[in-house]
Amino acid sequence: MTDTEKSLNDSYLIVNAKGEITKISYRANLIKELKNLCQTDNNELSSLNVNDINDFRKLVLIAEKNGYEIYQLTRL
């Protein structure tokens, strides 16, 4: 957890096929980061609400189509 993170349960890893890892704090930042990484229409990503489970699944599918996997980090 970094100094600016308020929750240990809202961190994500975006991993590409080469194993390169990008750590993202907060679900809301996933769209911004995927816009930078994915070769997709930014309007498609911008229209998604990460707090809606169906939209979140679409976000994960977009990432997968572009060669990325998303992992949620959870502290037990």
Side-chain angles (χ1 to χ4, degrees):
M1 184 165 96
T2 65
D3 292 339
T4 58
E5 292 173 313
K6 296 178 184 168
S7 169
L8 292 171
N9 292 329
D10 200 20
S11 296
Y12 300 83
L13 297 180
I14 300 174
V15 182
N16 69 14
K18 296 177 185 176
E20 298 169 333
I21 298 171
T22 303
K23 183 180 178 195
I24 303 297
S25 297
Y26 307 114
R27 183 182 287 203
N29 293 329
L30 283 170
I31 289 177
K32 179 181 176 185
E33 189 62 29
L34 287 173
K35 282 182 181 180
N36 294 329
L37 296 173
C38 294
Q39 303 297 322
T40 189
D41 182 9
N42 283 342
N43 291 331
E44 183 179 13
L45 286 169
S46 295
S47 69
L48 299 177
N49 175 359
V50 293
N51 294 313
D52 177 282
I53 188 66
N54 293 320
D55 279 0
F56 193 78
R57 288 179 181 146
K58 289 178 188 176
L59 180 116
V60 171
L61 289 173
I62 290 169
E64 285 180 2
K65 287 178 187 174
N66 286 275
Y68 295 93
E69 294 178 344
I70 298 174
Y71 298 90
Q72 182 179 16
L73 302 178
T74 303
R75 183 173 181 181
L76 301 175

